[in-house]
Amino acid sequence: MLFERTAYEDDFPINIRIFEVDEYPVHYHQDIEFVYVLRGTILLKNGYYTYTLKEGDIFINSGHEVHGLLHTEERNLVAVIQVSNWFFTRYFPSLPLACFRTYTRDEGNTRLDNLRYMMLQILLNYCRRSFNYKSKCTLLMVDVIEYINKWFNLFAFDGDTVVNSGSDDPIIIGRISRIITYIYANHSGRITLDDIAAGEHLSSYYISHLIKDYMGISFQEFLCFARVESSEIQLLETDDKISAVARSAGFSTTAYYEKYFRKWFHTSPSEHREKLKKHILSSENMPEVKIPPESVIIPRLQRYLSVLEGQNPNTLISGYHQISLSVDPSVEPVMDINHRLHLIVTPEDVDVMGHRLWNALEALRPEAVTVSGAKNEPQDELTRIAGEINRGGFPAAAFTETSAPAGGFYGADSVAAFHHIFNRFWGTSQPIPCRLRDQGDPDRTLKGILSCYTSSVIPKPAFYAYCILSRLKGSLIYENKYYSVIKLNADKSPAYVILTMNYSEDIEKLCTRKNTPFDVNSVISGFTDQVDINITIPVDPGKYNIIRFAFEREDNIFAYMAQLGFPDKSSFPGDWRRLLTTTPHVNVSPVTASDNLNLNIAAKGVSFQITAVIPAD
């Protein structure tokens, strides 16, 4: 019968089995399946290749992949976890098209340790049958699918073995993942490099080299591989002629199909059919497995979890970070905070912004202004503008710029700019260069340049980051990846500002790597970690105002353009653009304290929050 139907309980979209396997005949199913080896070794046939999986290995069948299990001389224990595509597509609509691959020859793969840790939590909750275990397992599986979507939804060829690519670049991972998914979804039709290039908004030349460099084979070789691999179901499930199987898979001739089938399976299609017909799952050929008692399984799962926690206590992923901090006002400061902005203004900025230039100067509070022009810009015009700005109260000087800033770093237009700017300039005592506005066509909204405004004078997240840097004056007393606590210079009762950052290294790097807006949006949308910080601050008795500013992935110009599909030209007519809300979410609340203030700051996804504690008297 080949196709294995998975039965799920009405209120539980996961099917978990833990057994010792002798033989599990070849089959396929529509849902994704995790095979986690808990003891010994097994052989796993998946497509054309037979993998030897050892203790700790996790293999993912993405659905519609012909696979089977076989014992070795070692005694084994295997957990098989099947996941309902029907249920989880409500969270991940593209789940049925995924092509997951976790197999790697890298013994010290931290991402696999993270995945093992997450899977063990599911298995333990299930085996213990703890209170509300079905709901817990389901929520944990959402985190697992989110994680494998981010890091394992692609593969590469290591010789004749399909392995996880091992790439660390989230943009490349996302791009290769989309290409693989597209080819598998459309393999039976006519696919060209130009089709893929158009979907990725890149040249076919670049796409061709990208596939070769990161997958190890050419586009045409991979297309033929996908067709051959997909043909195995029809080949084993039916008695159709080989020529009919070849046509269904997308091959123009039977000879072409047989050539590539033999390349990967090292045999002809008809020989492969004959060889496996006795090993296909059927009512006469059922799985040969033994189910051990849970008293044997649970201690083993607990031991594995303990080993992982002991080996990698700082790297295991949780997706949720809970932090408590009690502030000691007398603690020795880490450093003094007194940033100085040096703002770069062009004659074009002056022409386009008009009186709004002065509003921007008041908001940014630069220590100095450079009026910058191209080589062909008259020097006397630069000097005239610098004089006007000087008379307006901002020290300014004229300068001829040798080259324009490079564009194409689209993270600079997004909320990722906050984290990049603070990571880059937070500890510096040097003047901070700050470009006022993107140059050029105002209808081309995003240009991928680190500046405060778009060409059409819409504030970008970077504008607010520079505004905050120029305003913070005080002593940094606590700092880690997720927060910084600044004790402000104040004449009365102490005032504090807490900066809360929720991001990853991949987010911060979006501003330093060439990318497309689609790449940036994919990385930002894919980051869903949560941080929950509880802070206790000793204060003098009295009234205080708690002012909170939140800069999140929504409500900024990049997010608006993402909703429109990143058009080359803005669809907002004229001054209507100014009505777009790009300011932070603000909340003000008065409190009365007798001795301590207790604050809770929570964030999910990419965000940057500022919480100010200001005496009201």
Side-chain angles (χ1 to χ4, degrees):
M1 64 186 169
L2 195 66
F3 176 70
E4 180 182 55
R5 190 176 302 277
T6 305
Y8 299 99
E9 298 178 39
D10 290 343
D11 59 345
F12 193 40
I14 305 172
N15 183 49
I16 298 176
R17 293 170 293 164
I18 301 177
F19 49 69
E20 185 177 339
V21 63
D22 187 30
E23 181 180 5
Y24 207 115
V26 294
H27 61 284
Y28 77 96
H29 34 72
Q30 62 185 10
D31 296 335
I32 66 171
E33 176 184 84
F34 298 81
V35 177
Y36 190 167
V37 181
L38 300 173
R39 181 179 62 199
T41 59
I42 63 167
L43 301 178
L44 183 144
K45 174 251 188 284
N46 191 82
Y48 74 94
Y49 194 79
T50 298
Y51 297 85
T52 300
L53 302 184
K54 61 185 182 301
E55 186 172 301
D57 281 348
I58 296 177
F59 195 96
I60 305 178
N61 297 300
S62 301
H64 295 90
E65 291 182 308
V66 176
H67 59 281
L69 306 178
L70 189 66
H71 73 97
T72 66
E73 293 181 357
E74 282 189 85
R75 191 176 179 186
N76 64 70
L77 187 66
V78 181
V80 174
I81 304 102
Q82 293 168 323
V83 177
S84 169
N85 282 0
W86 175 84
F87 178 87
F88 285 98
T89 48
R90 69 185 66 181
Y91 302 101
F92 309 98
S94 61
L95 184 61
L97 301 175
C99 300
F100 300 118
R101 185 64 80 242
T102 54
Y103 184 80
T104 176
R105 293 190 171 100
D106 180 6
E107 295 291 336
N109 191 302
T110 301
R111 290 177 192 155
L112 270 178
D113 280 345
N114 291 334
L115 182 58
R116 292 180 184 112
Y117 183 79
M118 299 163 85
M119 297 303 298
L120 285 170
Q121 289 179 313
I122 293 174
L123 293 172
L124 271 171
N125 271 283
Y126 175 78
C127 290
R128 287 170 174 162
R129 299 295 196 276
S130 55
F131 175 74
N132 206 23
Y133 76 93
K134 292 181 180 179
S135 177
K136 289 180 181 177
C137 289
T138 302
L139 291 175
L140 287 167
M141 185 55 73
V142 170
D143 291 339
V144 166
I145 297 174
E146 194 167 64
Y147 189 70
I148 62 175
N149 257 332
K150 181 176 181 180
W151 295 115
F152 295 104
N153 193 7
L154 75 168
F155 55 79
F157 291 84
D158 182 0
D160 62 348
T161 309
V162 179
V163 300
N164 178 256
S165 76
S167 175
D168 290 322
D169 188 334
I171 292 174
I172 295 297
I173 289 172
R175 191 168 282 155
I176 295 293
S177 175
R178 289 192 297 272
I179 291 171
I180 290 173
T181 299
Y182 178 85
I183 290 175
Y184 270 103
N186 299 277
H187 70 273
S188 60
R190 184 178 180 274
I191 303 178
T192 67
L193 271 174
D194 290 338
D195 297 331
I196 297 172
E200 291 295 316
H201 307 277
L202 296 165
S203 71
S204 56
Y205 176 83
Y206 178 87
I207 290 293
S208 175
H209 282 271
L210 185 75
I211 293 172
K212 181 68 174 178
D213 291 344
Y214 283 89
M215 295 193 67
I217 60 175
S218 69
F219 160 72
Q220 195 61 42
E221 286 176 314
F222 176 57
L223 175 58
C224 290
F225 168 80
R227 287 170 171 169
V228 163
E229 186 182 48
S230 301
S231 76
E232 192 179 13
I233 290 176
Q234 185 180 356
L235 184 68
L236 299 181
E237 197 171 39
T238 73
D239 294 324
D240 293 347
K241 292 182 178 180
I242 302 301
S243 58
V245 176
R247 284 195 302 272
S248 296
F251 287 97
S252 56
T253 68
T254 304
Y256 202 38
Y257 169 55
E258 291 190 340
K259 170 188 172 183
Y260 276 95
F261 194 95
R262 190 177 292 275
K263 172 181 172 64
W264 296 106
F265 283 84
H266 305 294
T267 186
S268 71
S270 56
E271 290 168 342
H272 184 69
R273 173 185 274 172
E274 182 64 24
K275 177 183 175 182
L276 286 189
K277 69 180 182 181
K278 294 180 180 179
H279 300 280
I280 292 174
L281 181 69
S282 68
S283 56
E284 292 80 31
N285 193 26
M286 298 298 288
E288 297 178 23
V289 300
K290 298 175 185 175
I291 311 294
E294 289 182 351
S295 60
V296 172
I297 296 171
I298 291 177
R300 181 169 289 273
L301 295 176
Q302 289 173 323
R303 186 167 72 252
Y304 281 145
L305 193 63
S306 176
V307 169
L308 283 173
E309 290 174 334
Q311 289 177 340
N312 299 290
N314 299 318
T315 59
L316 292 174
I317 190 167
S318 65
Y320 178 75
H321 312 279
Q322 189 168 29
I323 300 167
S324 295
L325 173 67
S326 293
V327 171
D328 178 0
S330 63
V331 71
E332 188 72 21
V334 178
M335 66 177 181
D336 291 331
I337 301 295
N338 185 22
H339 296 108
R340 298 169 292 144
L341 294 188
H342 280 199
L343 185 65
I344 302 169
V345 177
T346 69
E348 183 183 297
D349 297 340
V350 177
D351 291 341
V352 172
M353 296 183 72
H355 69 276
R356 285 178 288 172
L357 171 65
W358 300 103
N359 296 335
L361 291 171
E362 292 289 346
L364 290 164
R365 301 181 181 180
E367 178 190 65
V369 177
T370 298
V371 181
S372 174
K375 289 183 178 180
N376 58 353
E377 198 81 48
Q379 185 65 33
D380 57 350
E381 176 63 10
L382 301 180
T383 303
R384 181 190 68 79
I385 295 171
E388 287 187 10
I389 294 175
N390 262 309
R391 288 189 289 276
F394 298 94
F399 175 76
T400 300
E401 194 166 34
T402 56
S403 60
F409 300 85
Y410 287 96
D413 295 317
S414 73
V415 70
F418 249 103
H419 302 288
H420 171 70
I421 290 168
F422 271 79
N423 284 337
R424 182 178 176 187
F425 297 121
W426 182 241
T428 184
S429 59
Q430 300 300 313
I432 298 172
C434 171
R435 190 168 292 276
L436 182 61
R437 174 184 158 274
D438 294 345
Q439 305 296 288
D441 184 0
D443 287 329
R444 186 172 160 235
T445 306
L446 304 181
K447 294 185 171 69
I449 298 171
L450 192 64
S451 58
C452 295
Y453 293 91
T454 67
S455 297
S456 54
V457 201
I458 299 173
K460 298 196 285 186
F463 167 76
Y464 300 102
Y466 286 122
C467 285
I468 293 164
L469 277 177
S470 69
R471 279 166 169 72
L472 284 174
K473 312 291 181 186
S475 300
L476 176 67
I477 56 175
Y478 291 95
E479 180 180 42
N480 75 0
K481 175 184 175 181
Y482 299 104
Y483 63 80
S484 296
V485 180
I486 301 96
K487 186 177 180 182
L488 299 181
N489 299 330
D491 297 330
K492 301 180 182 179
S493 298
Y496 297 89
V497 168
I498 300 101
L499 307 180
T500 307
M501 296 78 76
N502 193 29
Y503 72 106
S504 66
E505 184 180 351
D506 295 332
I507 302 296
E508 197 270 334
K509 286 181 179 178
L510 291 174
C511 297
T512 58
R513 290 175 173 171
K514 285 273 190 178
N515 42 44
T516 71
F518 298 92
D519 296 329
V520 173
N521 192 51
S522 176
V523 174
I524 289 176
S525 300
F527 179 78
T528 57
D529 279 16
Q530 299 179 58
V531 61
D532 194 331
I533 302 177
N534 293 294
I535 296 182
T536 301
I537 304 177
V539 294
D540 296 333
K543 295 181 179 180
Y544 293 83
N545 291 325
I546 312 299
I547 309 171
R548 301 174 188 259
F549 305 85
F551 300 86
E552 299 171 330
R553 70 179 188 180
E554 299 88 4
D555 295 340
N556 58 69
I557 189 59
F558 184 88
Y560 291 133
M561 292 298 106
Q563 292 169 27
L564 296 173
F566 298 111
D568 292 333
K569 293 287 186 178
S570 171
S571 57
F572 296 110
D575 285 347
W576 284 91
R577 298 187 189 113
R578 296 189 195 176
L579 298 181
L580 293 173
T581 300
T582 61
T583 56
H585 302 283
V586 182
N587 177 269
V588 180
S589 57
V591 298
T592 300
S594 57
D595 53 2
N596 286 322
L597 274 176
N598 296 304
L599 302 175
N600 176 259
I601 305 168
K604 180 175 181 179
V606 184
S607 67
F608 193 105
Q609 297 189 33
I610 300 112
T611 305
V613 179
I614 309 295
D617 297 330

